[in-house]
Amino acid sequence: HQGVLPQVEHYARQHKWELQVLRCGRGLPSPAVALNEALDQGADVVIAAGGDGTLHHTAALLAHSGVPMAVLPLGTGNGIARHYGIPLQLQ
């Protein structure tokens, strides 16, 4: 999954998007802290990169915020992405 972030950063630069990467998880800020920081800074979109647990948790934290969530399926099963027809490979 290490090669995905540079691809996303490159895509954002090509489209002149401002991108801020907030990592969370073991030994890092909790997802709630990282997400609240992003929302406090005016995030327009949150990209959830991970598996079903990450997507579920991020969606729950974003509920009622009005901020859309983009999905990068990087889990082992990616059931949510498969269910919604989200491509599993970056183009």
Side-chain angles (χ1 to χ4, degrees):
H1 304 343
Q2 297 297 337
V4 172
L5 185 55
Q7 286 180 273
V8 171
E9 290 173 326
H10 177 73
Y11 187 86
R13 277 192 307 276
Q14 283 183 315
H15 291 83
K16 297 181 179 18
W17 295 346
E18 182 180 332
L19 178 69
Q20 180 179 2
V21 177
L22 299 173
R23 298 176 192 271
C24 57
R26 291 187 184 112
L28 300 168
S30 74
V33 168
L35 192 54
N36 283 330
E37 181 181 330
L39 295 176
D40 288 345
Q41 293 176 10
D44 295 319
V45 174
V46 169
I47 301 171
D52 293 343
T54 299
L55 301 183
H56 173 79
H57 196 70
T58 304
L61 291 169
L62 282 174
H64 310 293
S65 71
V67 175
M69 180 178 88
V71 173
L72 282 177
L74 301 177
T76 53
N78 297 312
I80 293 172
R82 291 175 193 277
H83 176 80
Y84 288 104
I86 297 169
L88 301 180
Q89 300 295 319
L90 290 179
Q91 301 294 322

